[in-house]
Amino acid sequence: MDDYEYNQHIEAIGTNRSTDDDSRDDDDDYEDDDASFDDDRYHPEDVDDDDDEHVDDDNDDDEVGVVPSSRVGEGVGAREIRQHLLAIFVAIFAAVIAHSRMHGGFDSWTEELARDWSTFRRRRRADGGGKAGMSSTAGSTTPSPNHRRVERPKYAAPSMDAIPVERRGMILDRALRDLSTGGEEEEEGDVGDVSSIGGGGHALARDFRRTRGLNFCTPPHPSSSSSSSSSSSSTSSSSLSNAVAGSRSDDAEVENDHNRHHLTSMEFILPLDPSVRVLNYHYLADALGIDDVSAIVMRGEYDGMLDEIDAIIEEGGIAMNDMSTLILLEERIESILDAHLPPKPTSSSSSHYPRVGRRQHVCLLRQYALNCPTGRSIRGLTMVYDRPHVSTYYRGRNDDVPSYSSLSTPSSSSMDDALSVISRGRVKPNYKVSPASLSFTGYAAKFINLSVNPVNLYWDGGRVPTGPNAGEMRTVLVGTIRGMGTIGTSTFPGHTFHVTPTYDRDHVLQRWTITGDEPVLYHDPLSDMSAVERIRAIDGWTRDGKWTEVTRFERDAWIVDRSFGRDYLVKTGRAWLANFPQPYLATTTTTTNAEPDRGGDDGDGVDVPSFSSGSGTKAPDGHRMHMWRADYIGQTHDVITSSLYYNSLPERLERLTGDDYHPEVEKERLAKMRQFQSSSLKEKKITGDNGDDATMRLTLSVLSCAPRVLEAKKFLSPVEVQHLIDLASGAKGGVIMKRSTVSATNVDAGDGTGSGRKAKGSEADVRSSTGGWIHREQDAIVDTIFRRIADLLNIDERLMRDIVRDRPGNDDSGEDEWLPTHDRIVEAMQLLRYKPGEEYAPHHDFTHPSITNRYQPKRYATVLLYLTGEGDVIENGVRRSPASLSKKTGSVEARKESGLQGGETTFPRAITTNRHDGIKVKPQSGNAIIFYNVLPDGNMDDLSQHSGGKVDKGVKYVANVWVWDPIVN
Ligand SMILES: O=C(O)CCC(=O)C(=O)O
Ligand SMILES: [Fe+2]
């Protein structure tokens, strides 16, 4: 009996029983939660928790009621079935072992899940779902995809040796080129041409493709390859790319780009099935320009395509071991693609696909065709971030001498530290130093629900730290995770979490004790089941209408993601917290300003931004936003901005509307506002004739390399600071401050927004400040601050506002109309007020997008503006610095004492050679810091964890600005 027949049997068993246990509607509480991403964040780690409470895991229940495996098959024919099962399991087990020896890239768990899909596919075909020739009778002579595992032609697995040497070089060359260009060769003016933002929407965002940067044009089984992903060599470039590196002159630039971002190639191995299915959908989504991959899944493009490839294999006419037939195979794959895809791209979003994207798609399918009969895996290459060693964090420009000039104005404690470490001569670039051990042990955990049913995730809690219930244990709802969804939270080793059905608080489905090794946790009701139980469970889901093409795809996608995550972990030592596939930061920044960096020039002279306001020449970095380099502490970057300081207030400040952003109106407004602005804090307003063109320079200094934290002093003028405080305190109305609530931001709503349900805003003591939101359109001053922030991040400010579009049906008018959209990549500014005793304990700002979203939107950067600083006091709503107060009474020092104390922003996991408690940034009025929540390879940066320290005295005002990549939609 082959496994097809076996499945028929299983199906027969499966359909005989009911799985109603699960059929009641448990989605009730899904709808009524607020689905906007915003300030509701839950961070359970913050509640003091020194208990070791460990709840036994034995309590796990399967979500889907199934017959325990020991009882399966009792009754008529049971023995026969059991024998078959046994034989098949032995065979499969042997195959899995053999395979995992061969490939070793993923474990049997993944294999099993991959088999689930094969089973499903075969069953669906048996139900008449497949398009290719089908026979419902096992052993039929009719060629059928169902039989390919038994009736396939014998191929010799193509090895590199079989490929002529010249041809080999070509393949490798092409592989490297594809990889280097992020899977596509750019057309001139095509990428980063933000001038198209006006009428065309966010062209950049639309071009963002998850398959970018993946390379499947590798020899399917390069026998000579020694670069398995498990090799932990720090000469991280794989032999594949090294083999041809430098062979082309234009590669050198790309190579340089990769070096700049510390990107290195990584080979990964994925289970053939479901990865080809999942990736095929992604390529289709790219080709068709569809945002959410699940829309493609529903179109059912995939099955037909792979069936056609199956049919080619079935024909047996292709001898895979010679080059000409390989080319023939590719041609057939091309024609299949032609048949399924529109002949010409229908939108600008698909403009890249016909080029390298399509090439990669063909290579992927070729690997599928070649490996279907003989193997179970496919190979790919991508780039990953290779974090430089801590010994490189203390240095000057490309030489061994520490750059004192770059540290000439240290003031925050971290800068002092860096300076003192260097000046004591303890640390030299080539000196073997190791990172200081950290007293903080928290990190980001990600929970993935591989069930079709939503579950509630609870933290088992700690003791209530203060208040009337102090000392009591409590359980805290982190949030609801939709079926096949995900949620993230910060946590500590030893903490325990559990999930329950949404309708039954007391029914614990699974419980985890957190360890540092496994930050990504899966709730998979199928994982401990036998094959029979699984099929029954899935039958139950199907009957309930919950096991759809989309849920199936999502589950597969998580399985592929997990497999990739293992290779990533081995290669980089970091947990994979993003969703595979995930484009990485590629290509150099397009800049128009050739001003050199000052002081800590990073050596390449290209990291100099131009100001973008108005002219729109600045391009984000490839398809991802720009990230400043942070090679060493004290490194500086110059930022030129035309968004000058407001040194006095206009009499009237009005809310801006869409019309105010119309280019002409905007120009007029900006010119009018010049009379209140200056490039210096000393002068009240700009002087001279060329006020319109005036710019000013801000300096960003690196405070921390890992995570990347940079500081800009005097980012805001005192007038602007006071304006924001007025807004925050309600003195000017418009902003309603309320007690900050927290919940998991990191929730995947399943609608591709990355903004799903969360625990209902609980007034947790983890975040005790008061907050309010202030939109860019609040007034001209706030608008200016947003523009300055865009310059600070080196991104186009127009990405931060509503875009202009033709009003539908208004095409003939030739008039652009402003339409509100959700496309902007920035959230409203969040103002926070902390009073004594208030704090915000360590957390991450990043979010977890839906697995199906082609854009993977996330908060890539945080800009934190300090409104009050150390020693500042608020008198009748007015900020006063110790210096200004000391003019009236007492010394500055004495004055400091009575003002704001504490409230440092801390990055407790910053890698340094000397600090056990991370890097601390003292609030200083007008200063800003930026930090990146993601790494250049698109993964979340777990080290970006940070806290707002407890305020000991006085009032701390800060403002958060979160910027998304690539879009907020
Ligand atoms: O208050 C601070 O220093 C940090 C605030 C913060 O991290 C946040 O609101 O997300
Ligand atoms: Fe934060």
Side-chain angles (χ1 to χ4, degrees), residues 41 767 832 834 840 843 845 905 946 948 956 958 960 962:
R41 275 168 292 171
R767 191 186 195 195
L832 290 175
Y834 299 76
Y840 191 3
H843 64 279
D845 285 353
T905 307
H946 57 280
K956 173 186 168 192
V958 285
N960 270 306
W962 287 294

Side-chain angles (χ1 to χ4, degrees), residues 299-377:
R299 285 157 77 138
E301 303 271 351
Y302 161 80
D303 269 354
M305 285 177 60
L306 286 207
D307 284 350
E308 284 167 43
I309 294 171
D310 286 349
I312 297 173
I313 300 166
E314 292 293 321
E315 281 171 24
I318 302 171
M320 299 295 180
N321 53 2
D322 83 67
M323 209 60 220
S324 56
T325 48
L326 271 184
I327 291 166
L328 202 76
L329 172 65
E330 289 201 357
E331 278 168 9
R332 306 230 6 214
I333 290 171
E334 295 266 9
S335 66
I336 291 170
L337 288 173
D338 286 340
H340 284 269
L341 295 171
K344 289 230 173 74
T346 49
S347 70
S348 66
S349 56
S350 56
S351 64
H352 295 287
Y353 175 81
R355 314 178 76 227
V356 181
R358 167 121 169 183
R359 173 88 217 123
Q360 291 300 324
H361 197 175
V362 171
C363 289
L364 173 77
L365 296 176
R366 185 178 74 148
Q367 282 206 46
Y368 172 73
L370 295 179
N371 293 340
C372 235
T374 54
R376 289 184 146 272
S377 62

